[in-house]
Amino acid sequence: MQVFLGMVLGAALLFAGVYISDSQSTSTVANGQNAASNRTLVNWDVVSADWHVLKSRAHEDWIKLSSR
Protein backbone atom coordinates (compact mmCIF):
# COMPACT_ATOMS: atom_id res chain seq x y z
CA MET A 1 0.00 0.00 0.00
CA GLN A 2 2.84 2.38 0.79
CA VAL A 3 4.46 1.71 -2.59
CA PHE A 4 1.20 2.48 -4.40
CA LEU A 5 0.73 5.68 -2.38
CA GLY A 6 4.31 6.67 -3.17
CA MET A 7 3.76 6.17 -6.89
CA VAL A 8 0.56 8.22 -6.85
CA LEU A 9 2.22 11.00 -4.86
CA GLY A 10 5.25 10.96 -7.19
CA ALA A 11 3.04 11.22 -10.28
CA ALA A 12 1.09 14.09 -8.70
CA LEU A 13 4.29 15.95 -7.84
CA LEU A 14 5.64 15.42 -11.37
CA PHE A 15 2.42 16.69 -12.93
CA ALA A 16 2.38 19.73 -10.63
CA GLY A 17 6.03 20.49 -11.38
CA VAL A 18 5.51 20.36 -15.15
CA TYR A 19 2.41 22.54 -14.86
CA ILE A 20 4.25 25.15 -12.78
CA SER A 21 7.21 25.10 -15.16
CA ASP A 22 4.97 25.49 -18.20
CA SER A 23 2.88 28.24 -16.66
CA GLN A 24 6.00 30.35 -16.10
CA SER A 25 7.35 29.98 -19.64
CA THR A 26 6.18 31.77 -22.75
CA SER A 27 4.81 30.17 -25.89
CA THR A 28 5.51 30.79 -29.57
CA VAL A 29 1.88 31.80 -30.04
CA ALA A 30 2.17 34.61 -27.51
CA ASN A 31 5.49 36.07 -28.60
CA GLY A 32 6.20 34.92 -32.15
CA GLN A 33 9.35 33.09 -33.25
CA ASN A 34 11.55 34.71 -30.59
CA ALA A 35 10.04 32.48 -27.91
CA ALA A 36 10.93 29.19 -29.65
CA SER A 37 13.50 28.30 -26.96
CA ASN A 38 10.92 28.75 -24.17
CA ARG A 39 8.05 26.70 -25.59
CA THR A 40 5.73 24.95 -23.17
CA LEU A 41 6.11 21.20 -22.69
CA VAL A 42 2.41 20.34 -22.60
CA ASN A 43 -0.63 21.60 -24.51
CA TRP A 44 -2.86 22.09 -21.47
CA ASP A 45 -6.03 22.59 -23.55
CA VAL A 46 -5.64 19.06 -24.92
CA VAL A 47 -4.92 17.71 -21.44
CA SER A 48 -8.07 19.41 -20.13
CA ALA A 49 -10.21 17.94 -22.91
CA ASP A 50 -8.76 14.45 -22.40
CA TRP A 51 -9.25 14.72 -18.64
CA HIS A 52 -12.89 15.70 -19.15
CA VAL A 53 -13.45 12.69 -21.44
CA LEU A 54 -11.79 10.37 -18.89
CA LYS A 55 -13.93 11.71 -16.04
CA SER A 56 -17.15 11.38 -18.01
CA ARG A 57 -16.34 7.80 -19.09
CA ALA A 58 -15.45 6.83 -15.53
CA HIS A 59 -18.69 8.38 -14.28
CA GLU A 60 -20.77 6.55 -16.90
CA ASP A 61 -19.04 3.24 -16.09
CA TRP A 62 -19.60 3.79 -12.37
CA ILE A 63 -23.30 4.37 -13.00
CA LYS A 64 -23.47 1.14 -15.03
CA LEU A 65 -21.70 -0.83 -12.30
CA SER A 66 -23.70 0.61 -9.42
CA SER A 67 -27.05 0.04 -11.14
CA ARG A 68 -26.57 -3.75 -11.16
Side-chain angles (χ1 to χ4, degrees), residues 26-48:
T26 59
S27 69
T28 57
V29 175
N31 293 330
Q33 295 299 326
N34 295 335
S37 62
N38 294 332
R39 290 178 40 201
T40 58
L41 299 173
V42 179
N43 186 346
W44 293 103
D45 296 333
V46 175
V47 172
S48 175

Side-chain angles (χ1 to χ4, degrees), residues 19-64:
Y19 179 77
I20 291 169
S21 173
D22 276 358
S23 67
Q24 293 177 354
S25 65
T26 59
S27 69
T28 57
V29 175
N31 293 330
Q33 295 299 326
N34 295 335
S37 62
N38 294 332
R39 290 178 40 201
T40 58
L41 299 173
V42 179
N43 186 346
W44 293 103
D45 296 333
V46 175
V47 172
S48 175
D50 289 346
W51 180 249
H52 179 68
V53 169
L54 178 70
K55 285 189 341 184
S56 64
R57 284 184 185 170
H59 182 70
E60 291 170 2
D61 289 342
W62 178 254
I63 290 171
K64 286 179 187 176

Side-chain angles (χ1 to χ4, degrees), residues 1-12:
M1 185 67 182
Q2 291 177 346
V3 172
F4 180 70
L5 181 62
M7 286 190 283
V8 171
L9 182 61

